[in-house]
Every structure is written in C-alpha cells, then in structure tokens.
C-alpha cells in the first residue's frame, strides 16, 4: 500500500474551511431569523435540531458516495488533486478518466466526493458554533449540556480523520465501516443534545426501568447490525446471496468466516494479499442476514411491550421501522442492489438510531410514581 503522505495535500484546507463556514452561515441565519424572539436556549435547541437533520442528510450522502463508487473520485485529501474543487483539477481528472474510463476517478465521482466533504465541513462548523454558544450560555448561568456539545465536536473531528483515512487507505473496509459507525454515533450525540435542550422534565409516557434497559439493549443490537451491514457494503458482499430466504439455493451455503471477518486487510484481499474467496463474501452477507432476524424479533417484541403499556405511538415507530428495514433489505437482494433500496436501508438504520436515542435521552420519572400520578389524574378527572 502506498504511504499516506502521497495522498495528503493540506494546501486547499484553508479554502475548504472557509467554504464550510459559508455553507454553515445559511442554517445559522435561518435559525436566527426564525427564532430571534425566542430564549437563547430555545435558539440553541433549534440549531442543534437543524444540525441533526443536516447530519442525517450527510450520512445518507456519504452512503450515496460509497454506493456510487465515488469514494476515490478525488484520490487525495482534503482537496481534489490539490485544488479546492474539481474545477481546479479538471485537467488531472480528464487525464485519469482518459487513462481508465471505468476507473474510480471521473468528473461526476469527483463532484460527488467533494460535495460530501463540503457538507461535512459545514456540519463541523455548525457543531463548533453549538459548542461555543453552549459554553457562553453556561457561563451566563443557563443550563446547557456543555460536555455533550464539546464531546460532539471532538467526535466530528475524529470523523473527519476517518474520512481522510477512507481516501488515503483506498477504501480499506475496516476504516470505511468505522466511518459509517462514526456517523451513526454523531447522530446519536446530536439527538441526545436536542432532547436535553427541550423544556420540561420527565416523559409523559415513561415505562418501567426494565423497559428502559430493553431499549438500551435494542440500541446496542441495532449498532451491531449496522456494523455488520457496513461490513457487507464495504466488502461489496450484497450480491453474494441473490435469493431469499435461502442463499445460493441452500439454507447453509459454503462459507469462510475466518477470511470473511479478517478485519485488517485491503479491499477484496486477504491479509496475506491473496484474493478474497467468494465463500468469504457469502459468510459476510449471510451473517448480516441471520443477525437481522434477531434484531427484527427484538424490535417487534419491544414494540409489543410498549403497546401493552399504552405507548402505542412508540410501538408504531418500532414496527414501522422494522418493516421499512425488512422491505429495503429484501429489495437489495432480490432486485440486485438498486441504489434507492440501498439508500433507504441506510436511512432506516439511521432513523432507528435517532428514534431510540431520543427516547433514552428523555429523563424518565420513576415508574411507580408516574403510574400513581396517572391514576390520580384519572380519578381527579372522574370527580370533576
């Protein structure tokens, strides 16, 4: 593998940061105009929620970049052949495309990759503003989750580093998968802050402590499944099984788990440098499929539990997202990995992270007290 220094050119970094700041100015201005009469904490919450929405879009655009094979559209970092945009690298891109028309560098792929970087820089700028404003408001005596804001800023910087490694290490599967997981963690951090900024105390539909622990477990299961799905995608193993519910016409096809889950290796290769066998790709795909059955069962079970406790809205969210993931996952297999289905599957996974994190971030009243209060309210209403 070529050295990282070959691919890192910090020359355009200042221009990229300036462009990110200019892109971030739009959302900042919108929040200020729309909420100019609101309290500072409300404006900060609005900015955090908007940043969460833009980060969700960024995660989907990152998936679009990966799924269109645009990750090496600009083979250096942070710019494109040392320029701040593909316009400044048009001669290099044209030469690379002429030399290898079906290769990783084309005009469209370069733009897709650089737009992803522009959006990431803008999100980073917004998170920096959130951290700074949170600190200022805390010093004024207002209650803001400063530690969470600075943790989010540190995490988005780490995400930037993984984005750089994704390019400089030529789509190394472990790095690309970690970059995807990092995006999901960033969504969770922003969602947690968004809920914490909200006014009010305990949730109106709190459940018993056991249910809260079940939600934590469910979030962990979803995280593991996202990691497995990322491993499928980054190894291009989606089409290793093109039928359902069997794989290659068998319930247990030939699989090589040892090579399939060898983490530190180049794309399409074993750690020894030899080509990755098809049985390894089959093992990667089938493991994700088998784990999906367990996650779907857990989503349905927790949803049933919530419905029995009267949390029907939450239950419908879980059941709806479970159905969305099932249908989009099946579409990837039987329709041979269409781009829309692949993006929908990533979006459903991100939505699960946001929804579950939002429920867990909300302070919950102790269950017996909440139940007693609800009964008292009902009795009081009956005597009115």
């Amino acid at each position: 593998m070529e050295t990282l220094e070959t691919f890192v050119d910090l020359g355009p970094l200042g221009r990229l940061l300036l462009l990110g700041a200019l892109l971030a100015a739009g959302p900042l201005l919108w929040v200020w105009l729309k909420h100019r009469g609101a309290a500072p904490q409300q404006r900060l919450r609005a900015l955090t929620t908007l940043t969460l929405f833009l980060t969700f879009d960024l995660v989907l655009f990152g998936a679009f970049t990966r799924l269109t094979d645009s990750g090496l559209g600009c083979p250096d970092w942070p710019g494109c052949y040392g320029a701040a945009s593909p316009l400044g690298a048009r001669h290099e891109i044209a030469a690379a495309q002429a030399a290898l028309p079906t290769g990783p560098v084309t005009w469209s792929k370069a733009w897709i990759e650089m737009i992803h970087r522009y959006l990431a820089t803008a999100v980073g700028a917004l998170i920096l503003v959130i951290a700074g404003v949170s600190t200022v408001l805390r010093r004024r005596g207002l209650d803001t989750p400063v530690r969470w804001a600075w943790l989010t800023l540190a995490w988005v910087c780490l995400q930037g580093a993984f984005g750089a490694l994704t390019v400089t290490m030529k789509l190394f599967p472990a790095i690309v998968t970690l970059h995807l997981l990092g995006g999901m963690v960033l969504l969770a951090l922003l969602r947690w802050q968004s809920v914490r900024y909200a006014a009010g105390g305990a949730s109106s539909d709190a459940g018993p402590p056991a249910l809260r622990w079940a939600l934590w477990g469910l979030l962990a299961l979803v995280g593991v499944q996202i990691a497995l799905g990322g491993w499928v995608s980054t190894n291009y193993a989606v089409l290793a099984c093109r039928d359902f519910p069997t794989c290659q016409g068998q319930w247990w096809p030939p699989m090589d788990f040892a090579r399939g889950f060898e983490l530190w290796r180049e794309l399409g290769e074993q750690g020894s440098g030899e080509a990755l066998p098809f049985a390894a790709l089959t093992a990667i795909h089938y493991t994700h499929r088998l784990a999906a059955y367990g996650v779907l069962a857990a989503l349905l079970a927790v949803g049933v539990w919530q419905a029995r406790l009267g949390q029907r809205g939450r239950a419908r969210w879980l059941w709806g997202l479970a159905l969305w993931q099932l249908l989009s996952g099946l579409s990837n297999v039987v329709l041979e990995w269409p781009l829309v289905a692949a993006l929908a599957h990533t979006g459903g996974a991100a939505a699960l992270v946001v929804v579950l994190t939002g429920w867990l971030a909300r302070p919950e009243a102790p269950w017996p007290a909440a139940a007693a209060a609800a009964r008292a309210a009902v009795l009081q209403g009956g005597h009115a």
Side-chain angles (χ1 to χ4, degrees), residues 326-347:
L326 175 62
L327 294 178
S328 59
L330 283 176
S331 297
N332 281 317
V333 174
V334 299
L335 299 180
E336 298 192 350
W337 206 16
L339 179 60
V340 172
L343 289 174
H345 203 53
T346 300

Side-chain angles (χ1 to χ4, degrees), residues 36-60:
R36 58 183 178 272
Q41 286 173 302
Q42 291 177 313
R43 290 199 298 269
L44 185 57
R45 187 195 177 212
L47 177 59
T48 304
T49 303
L50 180 58
T51 304
L52 170 65
F53 172 76
L54 295 175
T55 303
F56 192 97
D57 294 338
L58 176 62
V59 169
L60 286 184

Side-chain angles (χ1 to χ4, degrees), residues 13-350:
L13 181 59
R15 284 168 287 170
L16 288 172
L17 292 176
L18 178 60
L19 179 58
L22 291 174
L23 289 174
L28 287 171
L29 180 61
W30 183 84
V31 169
W32 184 81
L33 290 175
K34 185 174 179 61
H35 301 276
R36 58 183 178 272
Q41 286 173 302
Q42 291 177 313
R43 290 199 298 269
L44 185 57
R45 187 195 177 212
L47 177 59
T48 304
T49 303
L50 180 58
T51 304
L52 170 65
F53 172 76
L54 295 175
T55 303
F56 192 97
D57 294 338
L58 176 62
V59 169
L60 286 184
F61 199 86
F64 178 77
T65 303
R66 183 179 70 256
L67 293 165
T68 54
D69 294 323
S70 302
L72 296 179
C74 290
D76 56 330
W77 186 91
C80 191
Y81 289 99
S85 81
L87 292 175
R90 56 187 178 276
H91 298 302
E92 291 85 352
I93 295 171
Q97 188 170 357
L100 194 60
T102 59
V105 179
T106 66
W107 187 249
S108 61
K109 290 179 180 181
W111 272 112
I112 291 171
E113 171 63 11
M114 288 308 298
I115 289 173
H116 178 58
R117 296 182 195 180
Y118 298 153
L119 293 175
T121 306
V123 166
L126 291 172
I127 292 174
L128 176 61
V129 171
I130 291 171
V133 173
S134 297
T135 303
V136 171
L137 293 181
R138 174 61 66 91
R139 289 178 178 175
R140 292 180 181 176
L142 299 176
D143 184 20
T144 58
V146 174
R147 292 180 181 177
W148 285 102
W150 284 99
L151 175 61
T152 306
L153 179 62
W155 191 266
V156 79
C157 291
L158 182 63
Q159 268 294 89
F162 273 112
L165 289 174
T166 295
V167 176
T168 57
M169 295 183 72
K170 294 185 175 181
L171 307 183
F172 205 82
I175 297 298
V176 179
T177 302
L178 287 173
H179 192 47
L180 170 64
L181 288 173
M184 297 297 177
V185 173
L186 186 59
L187 285 174
L189 288 170
L190 288 167
R191 178 57 175 162
W192 190 279
Q193 290 174 76
S194 176
V195 172
R196 290 292 182 175
Y197 283 132
S203 169
S204 60
D205 54 355
L211 177 58
R212 190 173 180 85
W213 282 110
L215 291 173
W216 277 113
L218 186 57
L219 181 59
L221 282 176
V222 168
V224 171
Q225 183 66 353
I226 290 173
L228 290 173
W231 194 242
V232 171
S233 179
T234 56
N235 282 281
Y236 297 88
V238 175
L239 298 182
C241 298
R242 301 191 180 198
D243 50 328
F244 182 86
T246 57
C247 175
Q248 301 167 17
Q250 304 174 62
W251 290 106
W252 195 259
M255 290 181 280
D256 188 339
F257 292 96
R259 291 182 175 85
F261 289 92
E262 184 181 9
L263 300 182
W264 201 251
R265 56 175 174 77
E266 299 275 356
L267 176 62
E269 298 180 1
Q270 305 176 43
S272 61
E274 299 175 3
L276 196 66
F278 188 72
L281 298 178
T282 305
I284 293 171
H285 178 113
Y286 211 57
T287 299
H288 178 60
R289 183 184 293 190
L290 292 175
Y293 298 144
V295 175
L296 286 172
L299 287 168
L300 294 175
V302 173
V304 169
W305 191 357
Q306 290 176 320
R308 289 181 175 177
L309 292 173
Q311 302 177 358
R312 293 181 179 83
R314 290 188 174 189
R316 283 192 289 270
W317 267 105
L318 284 188
W319 294 336
L321 287 172
L323 181 61
W324 179 276
Q325 288 302 87
L326 175 62
L327 294 178
S328 59
L330 283 176
S331 297
N332 281 317
V333 174
V334 299
L335 299 180
E336 298 192 350
W337 206 16
L339 179 60
V340 172
L343 289 174
H345 203 53
T346 300

